[in-house]
């Protein structure tokens, strides 16, 4: 998701497959307003510890220094690469907004994003917002693309300046600068800037949080750390898995309460360090430190696991990885198919179809059905679109020859 390199590192497709699978699992299991009280709360904590950081890390591995050599052009190319998919899907959801409302996919009972647009003015205002970064209801997961825009542009210009000023100690000063930017972002809490639209501040905040994972991914590839670590994969993967599981256990609300003697507010998971939690002054930096340590353990675990002989060639994972961007953008909408089935099975009101991301308080194994739907339906839809597009282009080419 978000890669532009022609020479594909094939095991990264498998790693992205794992990543997007975890994204869908995390959302499929969130069947209550608080993730901490969900049936599969531990599974949610596990995947949210590193699933989005994994994608930032992979994009860092795929970064090419040619973008830093001409920063303006490089920034434009990166902006175009991430902005176009974002606005394409966002405008698709904007165009279908009232249709979604008519068929109960969204409802005014939930929040302002769900009301049907009334009149041309409402459509125009929403159109403008959709172009400048306001995410439509089903585009919630696309904050990732906005964050990548910030990460890429910041890294390109920082690398350009550092390379010009201290070329012989580029990595040293690049590291100091990146860590400084991340630290300032955490200490100043740039997600809450007065008189600045929240959508903009959150985009910058999320991007600067992800910058560290992007940069370490860049170093991981630059210094060939993968080649060194993969030699020890037999014991390293189980060890890293154990660390992540231990973090999940520690992050349970009861354990947090005991460890801190109730002096620190209980948070849902270390993922809260990434997006930021309102009202937790002084704690986010501590959270972020824990998130970084455990996050890197999870990331390296997935990267190395994706190179195991029996896993690297799994076609379904590689396919999910190649279509990860489309899955990211469409899986919330794909969830509605399972929600409709649940409504029919349990004879619920059709209005509950609007519940987001899944129908609340329905336990059991439905999260598996949601996950399968969220992963596979977007792939099938996009593949069908590609087939139709090829057919049309083929017919057009034949007519042109005639």
């Amino acid at each position: 998701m978000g890669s532009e390199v022609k020479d594909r590192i094939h095991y990264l497709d498998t790693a992205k497959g794992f990543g997007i699978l975890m994204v869908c699992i995390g959302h499929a299991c969130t069947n209550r307003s608080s993730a901490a009280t969900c049936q599969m709360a531990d599974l949610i904590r596990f995947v949210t510890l590193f699933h989005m950081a994994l994608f930032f890390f992979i994009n860092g591995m795929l970064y090419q220094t040619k973008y830093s050599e001409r920063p303006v052009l490089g920034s434009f190319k990166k902006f175009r690469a991430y902005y176009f998919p974002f606005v394409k899907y966002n405008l698709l959801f904007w165009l279908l907004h009232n249709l979604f409302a008519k068929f109960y996919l969204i409802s005014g009972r939930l929040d302002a994003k769900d009301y049907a647009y009334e009149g041309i003015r409402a459509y125009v205002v929403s159109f403008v917002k959709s172009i400048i970064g306001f995410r439509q209801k089903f585009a919630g997961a696309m904050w990732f693309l906005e964050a990548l825009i910030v990460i890429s542009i910041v890294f390109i210009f920082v690398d350009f300046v550092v390379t010009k000023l201290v070329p012989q100690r580029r990595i040293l000063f690049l590291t100091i600068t990146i860590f400084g930017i991340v630290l300032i972002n955490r200490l100043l809490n740039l997600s809450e800037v007065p008189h600045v639209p929240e959508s903009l501040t959150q985009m910058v905040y999320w991007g600067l949080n992800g910058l560290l994972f992007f940069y370490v991914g860049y170093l991981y590839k630059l210094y060939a750390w993968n080649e060194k670590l993969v030699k020890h994969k037999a014991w390293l993967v189980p060890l890293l898995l154990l660390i992540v599981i231990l973090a999940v256990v520690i992050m349970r609300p009861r354990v947090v309460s005991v460890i801190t003697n109730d002096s620190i507010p209980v948070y849902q998971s270390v993922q809260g360090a990434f997006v930021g939690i309102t009202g937790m002054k002084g704690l986010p930096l501590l959270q972020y430190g824990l998130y970084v340590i455990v996050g890197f353990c999870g990331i390296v675990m997935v990267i190395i696991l994706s190179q195991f002989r029996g896993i690297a060639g799994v076609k379904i994972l590689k396919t999910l990885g190649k279509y990860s961007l489309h899955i990211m953008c469409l899986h919330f909408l794909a969830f509605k198919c399972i929600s409709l089935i649940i409504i029919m099975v349990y004879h619920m009101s059709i209005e509950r179809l609007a519940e987001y991301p899944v129908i609340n308080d329905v336990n059991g194994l439905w999260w598996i059905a949601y996950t399968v739907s969220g992963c596979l339906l977007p792939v099938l839809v996009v593949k069908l679109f590609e087939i139709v597009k090829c057919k049309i282009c083929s017919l057009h080419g034949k007519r042109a020859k005639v």
Side-chain angles (χ1 to χ4, degrees):
M1 185 163 50
S3 64
E4 297 177 333
V5 180
K6 293 181 180 179
D7 299 325
R8 300 185 73 91
I9 305 175
H10 292 287
Y11 68 81
L12 289 186
D13 284 330
T14 303
K16 288 191 292 183
F18 275 119
I20 200 63
L21 180 62
M22 289 189 291
V23 169
C24 288
I25 288 174
H27 290 149
C29 292
T30 309
N31 62 349
R32 290 185 181 177
S33 57
S34 172
T37 61
C38 292
Q39 175 195 16
M40 306 298 295
D42 285 336
L43 184 56
I44 295 174
R45 291 189 186 96
F46 181 89
V47 299
T48 55
L49 280 169
F50 60 92
H51 67 335
M52 293 312 301
L54 171 65
F55 284 109
F56 293 129
F57 187 92
I58 290 174
N59 275 272
M61 288 182 66
L62 298 174
Y63 181 80
Q64 297 173 297
T65 53
K66 66 179 183 180
Y67 294 109
S68 302
E69 295 170 359
R70 302 177 65 183
V72 176
L73 179 61
S75 297
F76 173 76
K77 288 183 176 180
K78 284 293 184 180
F79 176 83
R80 182 179 59 186
Y82 302 133
Y83 175 75
F84 280 6
F86 170 85
V87 78
K88 177 179 65 177
Y89 276 109
N90 214 24
L91 288 179
L92 174 64
F93 296 143
W94 163 82
L95 184 65
L96 299 175
H97 184 92
N98 276 13
L99 191 63
F100 291 155
K102 182 177 180 180
F103 289 100
Y104 301 100
L105 297 179
I106 55 179
S107 168
R109 294 183 179 184
L110 296 180
D111 58 56
K113 288 184 180 180
D114 293 324
Y115 287 108
Y117 302 141
E118 297 181 0
I120 296 178
R121 183 179 182 278
Y123 258 107
V124 172
V125 170
S126 181
F127 174 81
V128 174
K129 286 184 176 180
S130 298
I131 289 178
I132 64 176
F134 178 87
R135 295 186 302 279
Q136 292 288 323
K137 184 67 178 180
F138 291 112
M142 285 162 54
W143 65 268
F144 168 79
L145 292 173
E146 295 178 312
L148 271 179
I149 291 174
V150 174
I151 290 171
S152 300
I153 293 176
V154 170
F155 187 79
I156 285 172
F157 278 95
V158 168
D159 189 26
F160 172 76
V161 172
V162 168
T163 302
K164 288 293 184 182
L165 296 178
V166 280
Q168 295 180 343
R169 296 186 176 181
R170 170 176 171 264
I171 296 300
L172 173 62
F173 283 90
L174 197 57
T175 302
I176 294 172
T177 305
I178 296 298
F179 271 85
I181 291 173
V182 172
L183 187 62
I184 290 172
N185 181 50
R186 300 303 309 183
L187 292 176
L188 297 183
N189 192 16
L190 297 182
S191 64
E192 300 176 1
V193 180
H195 312 300
V196 179
E198 184 181 7
S199 59
L200 179 59
T201 58
Q202 286 187 349
M203 179 176 71
V204 173
Y205 184 74
W206 290 336
L208 296 183
N209 277 333
L211 180 61
L212 181 59
F213 295 100
F214 180 92
Y215 178 57
V216 176
Y218 172 73
L219 295 179
Y220 189 85
K221 177 71 183 306
L222 180 67
Y223 290 110
W225 289 342
N226 183 71
E227 285 73 7
K228 300 172 184 177
L229 293 176
V230 79
K231 295 177 182 178
H232 309 287
K233 61 184 179 182
W235 62 265
L236 188 57
V237 169
L239 175 62
L240 295 174
L241 177 60
L242 182 62
I243 293 173
V244 177
I245 292 176
L246 181 62
V248 171
V249 174
I250 293 175
M251 295 313 300
R252 286 179 171 178
R254 290 183 181 179
V255 179
V256 173
S257 298
V258 172
I259 292 175
T260 64
N261 195 24
D262 293 320
S263 61
I264 296 179
V266 175
Y267 38 92
Q268 297 174 4
S269 69
V270 182
Q271 174 69 0
F274 192 74
V275 300
I277 297 180
T278 304
M280 299 180 68
K281 303 295 183 182
L283 183 61
L285 189 58
L286 170 62
Q287 281 182 275
Y288 188 68
L290 295 172
Y291 177 58
V292 166
I293 294 171
V294 180
F296 281 130
C297 289
I299 290 168
V300 174
M301 175 188 71
V302 171
I303 294 292
I304 296 177
L305 183 63
S306 300
Q307 298 171 71
F308 275 64
R309 183 173 299 177
I311 296 176
V314 177
K315 290 185 178 181
I316 183 64
L317 285 174
K318 295 178 76 71
T319 300
L320 292 181
K322 291 178 181 179
Y323 287 86
S324 57
L325 174 59
H326 300 290
I327 296 173
M328 184 73 75
C329 296
L330 293 173
H331 72 279
F332 283 134
L333 188 57
F335 280 176
K336 295 302 180 182
C337 296
I338 305 302
S339 292
L340 183 59
I341 294 174
I342 291 174
I343 288 172
M344 295 171 65
V345 170
Y346 294 107
H347 307 290
M348 297 176 175
S349 169
I350 190 63
E351 292 183 355
R352 295 199 63 179
L353 188 59
E355 294 182 7
Y356 179 90
V358 299
I359 292 185
N360 293 329
D361 301 315
V362 176
N363 295 319
L365 299 178
W366 285 107
W367 66 271
I368 297 178
Y370 274 116
T371 301
V372 173
S373 175
C375 287
L376 296 187
L377 281 183
V379 174
L380 293 176
V381 169
V382 174
K383 278 185 170 290
L384 180 61
F385 176 80
E386 291 174 347
I387 292 173
V388 172
K389 184 179 177 181
C390 287
K391 292 288 185 181
I392 294 175
C393 292
S394 178
L395 290 174
H396 180 73
K398 289 180 179 179
R399 289 178 180 177
K401 291 180 179 179
V402 174

